[in-house]
Amino acid sequence: FYLILENSSYWNNNFDNFLIHTWSLSVEIQFYILFPFIIQLILKKFNIDFLLKLFIFVSIISLYISSKLSVNEMFFFNSFGRIFEFLMGGICGILIKQNNFSINIFLRNFLVTFSILIILTSFLIFDESIMHPSMFTLISIFPTGIIILLNQKDSHVDKVISNTTSIFFGKISYSLYLFHLPILYILSNNIFEKFLAIVISISFSWFNFQLIEKKFIKDVKNKNFIIFIIISYLLIILSSIIIIKTNGL
């Protein structure tokens, strides 16, 4: 909401605000706090098939609204405009649980490999001129869903995405996302500094995963830890309200 009120542009002001990338973390937190409770409430009244249809319906509505409003760059930060991206994972999860489809190994491997190529290609064709979220976002969302649905253990693709290096970067990915921009903000004047920034970002991310994230994962079911998290969220919300009401004074 801060970025929307400030009319910030993610693409043009990355180094004017070295914390601008944290917008996505706020969207993820909103989703993952509310999503489990909403699912539990729905499943108390309806079955899993209804949930699947609801996910698809809400995804279509979210995608439609996103496409219509993507000309407004501020919708880039909007939580509702990102729902269809999150729900793709939910749809894949339900389909995997139901296991209602059967595809031969050759076609399965072809579709997964082709999906990976599409995702890699999107890095080359996407730039700041292409608005997100919008229909263009499906170019990366659909292939990701296919990989989740069709990739099998011990396949040639699985061996690539499940090797030691991939797992390492998967584990530190959250911390790496968190640290990389502030470090690049300081170290980005030349090739050497950019290389140093990458090394420092990876190092900080590994230490953060080992010393903080692993402890959080271990204590996630601890009652005192849950109380601590709830109190922390309430304090953050209260602090945010006070800052907004006092204009930061």
Side-chain angles (χ1 to χ4, degrees), residues 10-152:
Y10 180 78
W11 301 109
N12 298 328
N13 296 317
N14 278 358
F15 290 99
D16 292 336
N17 182 351
F18 61 84
L19 295 178
I20 194 171
H21 64 307
T22 57
W23 71 270
S24 67
L25 303 181
S26 67
V27 173
E28 290 168 21
I29 290 171
Q30 292 172 46
F31 184 83
Y32 289 122
I33 287 177
L34 298 176
F35 192 60
F37 294 105
I38 294 174
I39 289 179
Q40 288 297 320
L41 289 174
I42 293 173
L43 290 179
K44 284 184 177 180
K45 298 290 184 179
F46 304 97
N47 59 28
I48 195 75
D49 290 329
F50 175 85
L51 187 64
L52 176 61
K53 294 174 184 176
L54 181 63
F55 280 2
I56 295 173
F57 175 76
V58 174
S59 296
I60 293 172
I61 298 299
S62 172
L63 179 60
Y64 175 78
I65 295 176
S66 299
S67 299
K68 289 294 183 182
L69 298 181
S70 61
V71 291
N72 180 354
E73 195 169 85
M74 290 308 99
F75 205 69
F76 182 90
F77 303 111
N78 190 281
S79 300
F80 182 77
R82 297 286 176 172
I83 286 180
F84 73 93
E85 297 175 334
F86 287 100
L87 290 184
M88 174 59 75
I91 292 169
C92 291
I94 293 174
L95 291 175
I96 291 172
K97 184 178 179 63
Q98 292 181 330
N99 196 24
N100 289 333
F101 53 93
S102 178
I103 301 177
N104 68 67
I105 295 177
F106 175 80
L107 180 58
R108 184 186 294 265
N109 287 335
F110 170 78
L111 290 173
V112 171
T113 304
F114 186 65
S115 297
I116 292 176
L117 292 176
I118 292 177
I119 293 173
L120 293 176
T121 303
S122 69
F123 285 103
L124 301 176
I125 64 175
F126 282 1
D127 56 32
E128 63 273 10
S129 66
I130 299 178
M131 292 298 179
H132 294 282
S134 67
M135 289 292 182
F136 290 106
T137 311
L138 294 179
I139 295 175
S140 57
I141 296 298
F142 267 138
T144 302
I146 291 174
I147 295 170
I148 294 172
L149 281 173
L150 301 183
N151 187 46
Q152 286 186 319

Side-chain angles (χ1 to χ4, degrees), residues 140-178:
S140 57
I141 296 298
F142 267 138
T144 302
I146 291 174
I147 295 170
I148 294 172
L149 281 173
L150 301 183
N151 187 46
Q152 286 186 319
K153 187 175 177 60
D154 297 327
S155 67
H156 66 283
V157 175
D158 183 69
K159 290 176 182 177
V160 174
I161 63 179
S162 299
N163 62 43
T164 304
T165 303
S166 298
I167 292 173
F168 170 77
F169 281 102
K171 287 181 177 180
I172 69 169
S173 60
Y174 174 81
S175 296
L176 190 58
Y177 181 77
L178 200 61

